[in-house]
Amino acid sequence: MGYVRVYNGVIKVIGNQQSIVFIGFMGAGKTTIGKLVAEKLRREFIDIDEAIEKEYGIPTSEIFKKIGEKAFRAKEKEIIIELSKRQGYILSLGGGAFLQEETREACLQNCTVIFLDISWEYWKERIGLIIDSRPVLQGRNQEEIRELFNSRQAIYQHHHIKIGTDDQQPEQIAEYIVSKLG
Ligand code: S3P
């Protein structure tokens, strides 16, 4: 059994064990929804930011401060490319991971990529909840964050499945994803 996936005009039938990758802007719900989908499909969930934090033994904001974004991005790419080759995982990627072409290509080739699409109107209500733990948001005003939000949308267009999350609860979204994956 499998399901059909289309990307760049190429149609593939995907086996049930293909890993699933969640992409989207910070705070879109990738980790929450990814964990729910993993529970429902009885698969192992990995949050890439957490995996990077484990390697360095400090939180992401400290990695950015002490070691730098460049090192964070290098580690992010290395971990994602390695995990994308494995079967059966549910991976939640950081919102900037798809900026790197090799990361994008590895995920699009090896996994099913699900874009969690949230509108600015909904997202801006979450700023206060996430800003402290997201170094790329710090020191920017709302207009600058909006520009970042808009500029990132292009990289998220590289996906297999897009799910609009406005007005939906994580549980509903996870159920929908599971039903769509068959
Ligand atoms: C980042 C997103 C974060 C984390 C890091 C950088 C980004 O992940 O990887 O702070 O550049 O968008 P989340 O999308 O899980 O918040």
Side-chain angles (χ1 to χ4, degrees):
M1 283 291 282
Y3 56 92
V4 170
R5 192 184 80 174
V6 185
Y7 181 69
N8 272 353
V10 180
I11 299 173
K12 277 189 181 176
V13 177
I14 305 305
N16 284 340
Q17 283 308 304
Q18 187 90 24
S19 287
I20 294 165
V21 167
F22 282 94
I23 62 163
F25 202 61
M26 288 161 266
K30 293 164 292 188
T31 299
T32 307
I33 294 163
K35 276 184 185 163
L36 288 170
V37 170
E39 272 170 29
K40 290 176 194 296
L41 295 177
R42 294 193 181 82
R43 295 219 198 162
E44 189 174 334
F45 173 79
I46 299 178
D47 179 299
I48 301 299
D49 288 336
E50 256 179 42
I52 299 168
E53 290 177 345
K54 259 188 215 155
E55 290 242 351
Y56 285 108
I58 46 177
T60 297
S61 50
E62 293 291 301
I63 301 172
F64 269 64
K65 247 190 254 160
K66 295 188 174 146
I67 308 167
E69 180 171 355
K70 206 170 160 200
F72 177 89
R73 296 295 178 199
K75 184 59 76 189
E76 181 178 49
K77 179 166 87 176
E78 179 192 317
I79 292 178
I80 296 170
I81 291 178
E82 176 53 32
L83 288 173
S84 77
K85 295 178 196 152
R86 304 198 199 161
Q87 299 268 301
Y89 285 100
I90 309 285
L91 307 175
S92 164
L93 269 51
F98 257 37
L99 289 167
Q100 305 194 75
E101 193 182 346
E102 283 173 71
T103 303
R104 275 200 316 262
E105 288 308 317
C107 292
L108 289 162
Q109 232 174 55
N110 303 326
C111 312
T112 296
V113 177
I114 302 181
F115 167 36
L116 295 182
D117 186 19
I118 184 169
S119 71
W120 170 258
E121 294 314 310
Y122 275 79
W123 186 84
K124 72 179 189 332
E125 304 303 323
R126 301 185 183 177
I127 294 181
L129 291 174
I130 66 170
I131 194 156
D132 288 346
S133 55
R134 304 310 200 277
V136 294
L137 297 181
Q138 283 153 26
R140 296 184 199 245
N141 63 31
Q142 186 161 318
E143 202 35 50
E144 289 163 338
I145 293 177
R146 186 178 188 158
E147 277 166 27
L148 179 71
F149 180 93
N150 289 338
S151 72
R152 286 279 180 86
Q153 299 309 309
I155 57 163
Y156 305 138
Q157 299 318 309
H158 302 275
H159 60 255
H160 301 114
I161 299 172
K162 176 165 91 171
I163 312 278
T165 63
D166 290 357
D167 252 346
Q168 307 278 335
Q169 292 304 311
E171 181 61 36
Q172 278 176 290
I173 300 168
E175 270 301 328
Y176 177 71
I177 291 170
V178 170
S179 71
K180 212 167 155 60
L181 294 175

